[in-house]
Amino acid sequence: MDMTVNSTTLVTEPVSEGNGKLLDAPLASGSTATLSLTDKKLVCVEYPGFVISVDNMLDSVGGEQALTKTYADSSKRLELRFRPKDPYCHPVCGNRYSSNNLLLRVCRRKRKGSSGEAHITMEILGLIGTTYKFQGMADFQYLAMHNEPDGSKVSLYDKVILRKPEKKEFFDLSVPLFLPPPLFSRLDGPVDYFYRPDSMHREGNMQSLLLNENLIGPNRARRPHNAIFVNFDEKSIPTEPLEAAKINWKKNSIHHSDIKAEEEMRKLFERRPIWSRNAVKANVDIHPEKLKLLLPYLAYYMLTGPWRSLWVRFGYDPRTNPEAKIYQVLDFRIRCGMKHGYGVNDMPVKAKRSAYHYCLPTTVNKAVPQPASLKEFTQDGTSPSSAKPSSLRYILKESAYVFREGMLPPYRQMLYQLCDLDVEQIKGIIQRNDGKEEVCDERDGWCLPQTADDLRDIISSMITQVVRAKRPASSSPKLKPVRAGRKMEESDEDDEEEYDDEYKPSEGSENEMETEMLDYM
């Protein structure tokens, strides 16, 4: 790999395909010259420092091998370590940019004491199509040092780094506690947070003066959807919507389709008193923003208990009606792992979003494939780009809320109502205590204890069979290795997934229910 280096720029040559033309002629001041381009491709590294030793400079970026490996992967950033031999040195990362630059060598020769014109030679060495720039801030550095009682500092590198095979005595030595941080800052660029003062804490605010406690109020403005939220332990349930919800819906239901959607929604709640949001969206064609106004007009929202995250018809109390057992919610999450017959990378159902989907500073954020959408936008199944706005539909497929044998859920976390689990074995478990319901429990509702766990096991087993049937040749599935700095997939059913843009189900967590509650305030 040929290299040309000056004080701040390193130019490497990964591919050599030709040579440039050389102009060797005296040029007058202000004159021009024509040079032919070369096919030689170069990579430029704007090194953040003055290069005195080329070898030391190459060691700081990992050598020619590391440069070639980084260049071959467009998703990686170039790592520079100012202490290459220190394994605890935190790197400075360079960003990769496309460029259309030329590397030009210009030589100007003039004899001393001569009054004649200078002799200038110019040569195009290559085309620079990729440039690495170090624009981030240097992060914290962590040294393996120990402070002695007398104030002196002692290096621990010889005690914590295994440089050669050692005997048992080496591992029995007493070593001071040294715990380096597993991760430094994930961002190496400055970020503006745009902090804003809370209106509750402004000087002279009457509401804050009436409070006796120092409360941290929400900065987010309350949304005028006027939904009524009910906890499982509340004594009474609402029988009619808030007056503001009535006014809000009447003011916004001006189109004929809105009136039609209201009629369809009323028929839904007459046929079945409790619905999930996705079930409603799969049965009524209505704009999502209009749905936020219509649901609080016809039903109240349960925050906790066996009907959490569901909309209940006004005046209907499922806690006093054993018939409401079939409307209870089952929070199901697909289990991934070798013991289930497939790994996280072999799972056909891709995660929509996850807390694990982030990139370390050594990688570049790239677009990830999105899961298949449940929305059917047109009547004839044409793509959204070819459809007219008048033919748009906002209705989901049946798989958004119904589970049958041989079916894969569209998302890794689903909220199913028991009546929507169309499997005979599941129905038998739900009906084990029909006619013998006595107490409505906050966890199991009208069902027998551990019913939800039994249903999850059955559904997981059925999904495992479907996945194995789709991959008959892979009797021993393999887990793809996860490279350092790359995006990680979730590895168990405990990872929480949002399967709707504004709908985040959770099992037994009131704090997480507040996420959706804010969308209706």
Side-chain angles (χ1 to χ4, degrees):
M1 182 181 292
D2 298 335
M3 300 188 181
T4 303
V5 182
N6 59 19
S7 59
T8 58
T9 305
L10 164 68
V11 181
T12 66
E13 179 189 350
V15 182
S16 179
E17 299 180 358
N19 297 320
K21 299 289 184 174
L22 177 67
L23 175 66
D24 187 358
L27 294 177
S29 177
S31 62
T32 61
T34 302
L35 299 177
S36 60
L37 294 178
T38 178
D39 294 332
K40 186 179 296 184
K41 298 179 181 179
L42 304 176
V43 177
C44 175
V45 178
E46 297 185 0
Y47 193 85
F50 294 100
V51 178
I52 299 176
S53 172
V54 177
D55 294 336
N56 293 340
M57 179 271 300
L58 286 176
D59 290 340
S60 66
V61 293
E64 296 183 13
Q65 183 178 2
L67 277 174
T68 304
K69 186 176 180 180
T70 301
Y71 175 74
D73 189 352
S74 60
S75 66
K76 296 193 65 175
R77 305 171 74 192
L78 183 61
E79 299 182 19
L80 186 150
R81 289 176 168 82
F82 293 104
R83 304 187 310 280
K85 297 181 180 180
D86 184 359
Y88 299 105
C89 178
H90 192 64
V92 179
C93 297
N95 297 321
R96 177 172 178 160
Y97 294 96
S98 299
S99 57
N100 295 312
N101 301 329
L102 301 176
L103 180 61
L104 184 66
R105 175 186 291 169
V106 179
C107 297
R108 182 178 181 270
R109 295 185 177 90
K110 184 178 181 181
R111 293 184 179 180
K112 295 182 179 180
S114 175
S115 59
E117 295 181 350
H119 187 79
I120 300 176
T121 59
M122 292 180 292
E123 180 183 5
I124 296 178
L125 301 181
L127 306 176
I128 302 176
T130 302
T131 301
Y132 288 94
K133 301 181 180 181
F134 291 87
Q135 300 172 318
M137 299 183 297
D139 206 339
F140 296 98
Q141 300 296 320
Y142 202 83
L143 301 178
M145 307 291 292
H146 176 65
N147 294 327
E148 295 292 338
D150 58 356
S152 61
K153 298 183 182 298
V154 179
S155 175
L156 299 178
Y157 286 96
D158 294 336
K159 298 181 180 180
V160 298
I161 299 177
L162 189 64
R163 305 183 186 276
K164 60 180 182 179
E166 298 286 353
K167 296 182 180 180
K168 179 178 181 298
E169 291 75 12
F170 175 83
F171 300 98
D172 292 337
L173 295 176
S174 177
V175 180
L177 183 63
F178 174 66
L179 297 175
L183 181 66
F184 291 86
S185 175
R186 283 174 50 193
L187 303 176
D188 56 0
V191 179
D192 293 328
Y193 284 96
F194 298 105
Y195 291 110
R196 295 174 297 172
D198 193 342
S199 59
M200 288 283 293
H201 299 155
R202 291 179 181 175
E203 185 178 357
N205 183 273
M206 293 302 298
Q207 189 173 359
S208 62
L209 295 177
L210 297 176
L211 294 176
N212 297 326
E213 301 179 359
N214 295 325
L215 301 178
I216 300 178
N219 285 325
R220 180 175 178 178
R222 299 177 70 89
R223 298 185 178 182
H225 299 313
N226 305 295
I228 300 178
F229 304 96
V230 177
N231 289 309
F232 180 81
D233 54 358
E234 294 188 17
K235 297 181 179 180
S236 61
I237 52 99
T239 57
E240 60 179 0
L242 298 177
E243 189 66 27
K246 299 178 182 178
I247 298 175
N248 204 17
W249 171 248
K250 296 300 182 183
K251 181 177 64 176
N252 290 275
S253 59
I254 56 178
H255 197 270
H256 175 71
S257 61
D258 301 331
I259 306 300
K260 181 181 178 182
E262 179 183 350
E263 295 176 356
E264 294 178 355
M265 188 88 72
R266 289 186 180 276
K267 293 179 180 179
L268 286 182
F269 281 102
E270 290 175 0
R271 185 175 85 242
R272 175 168 146 185
I274 304 177
W275 289 84
S276 66
R277 181 182 175 86
N278 267 15
V280 171
K281 294 172 69 174
N283 287 273
V284 179
D285 186 10
I286 184 174
H287 193 279
E289 294 300 321
K290 292 293 182 67
L291 182 62
K292 291 182 180 181
L293 305 178
L294 180 56
L295 278 175
Y297 178 61
L298 300 177
Y300 64 91
Y301 186 82
M302 290 289 290
L303 288 175
T304 58
W307 297 277
R308 62 187 174 278
S309 305
L310 302 180
W311 291 90
V312 185
R313 185 182 66 203
F314 283 116
Y316 184 82
D317 190 353
R319 301 168 300 179
T320 60
N321 293 278
E323 299 83 4
K325 177 176 65 174
I326 60 175
Y327 305 126
Q328 292 179 193
V329 68
L330 176 69
D331 189 346
F332 175 76
R333 307 172 191 187
I334 295 181
R335 302 167 180 173
C336 295
M338 295 298 295
K339 64 180 181 179
H340 302 294
Y342 47 84
V344 292
N345 297 306
D346 301 322
M347 183 62 208
V349 182
K350 299 302 179 182
K352 185 175 183 181
R353 58 176 68 90
S354 172
Y356 293 100
H357 283 181
Y358 65 87
C359 287
L360 297 178
T362 56
T363 58
V364 180
N365 290 325
K366 298 185 69 177
V368 296
Q370 297 295 325
S373 176
L374 290 172
K375 294 183 178 180
E376 298 174 343
F377 291 100
T378 59
Q379 298 282 355
D380 55 357
T382 57
S383 62
S385 58
S386 62
K388 297 181 180 180
S390 59
S391 62
L392 288 178
R393 300 182 64 197
Y394 304 95
I395 191 167
L396 301 184
K397 294 181 180 179
E398 188 183 45
S399 60
Y401 73 103
V402 175
F403 179 80
R404 294 188 178 93
E405 188 173 358
M407 177 186 295
L408 282 178
Y411 298 109
R412 293 192 178 184
Q413 180 179 3
M414 299 290 296
L415 273 192
Y416 290 116
Q417 289 182 260
L418 301 186
C419 59
D420 295 325
L421 300 175
D422 192 8
V423 179
E424 292 300 326
Q425 184 180 3
I426 292 178
K427 293 180 180 179
I429 294 178
I430 298 173
Q431 298 171 359
R432 286 183 299 185
N433 65 331
D434 279 358
K436 301 178 182 179
E437 300 91 346
E438 297 179 357
V439 179
C440 182
D441 182 71
E442 184 174 359
R443 183 184 187 276
D444 300 301
W446 295 105
C447 294
L448 294 176
Q450 306 302 321
T451 297
D453 297 333
D454 296 338
L455 298 183
R456 294 189 184 100
D457 292 338
I458 295 175
I459 298 177
S460 297
S461 177
M462 297 175 64
I463 292 177
T464 301
Q465 295 177 7
V466 174
V467 174
R468 288 178 176 175
K470 291 180 179 293
R471 299 181 296 103
S474 57
S475 58
S476 58
K478 298 180 180 180
L479 287 175
K480 298 179 181 179
V482 180
R483 292 189 294 172
R486 300 305 298 270
K487 295 184 178 181
M488 296 184 293
E489 298 283 350
E490 54 272 65
S491 60
D492 207 340
E493 66 272 17
D494 292 335
D495 298 333
E496 297 183 1
E497 292 301 322
E498 294 180 3
Y499 68 89
D500 190 52
D501 291 340
E502 302 153 351
Y503 195 48
K504 184 177 182 179
S506 164
E507 181 164 347
S509 175
E510 297 183 14
N511 295 331
E512 294 176 356
M513 286 303 135
E514 295 177 359
T515 302
E516 185 186 357
M517 181 177 69
L518 290 175
D519 288 337
Y520 294 92
M521 297 176 64

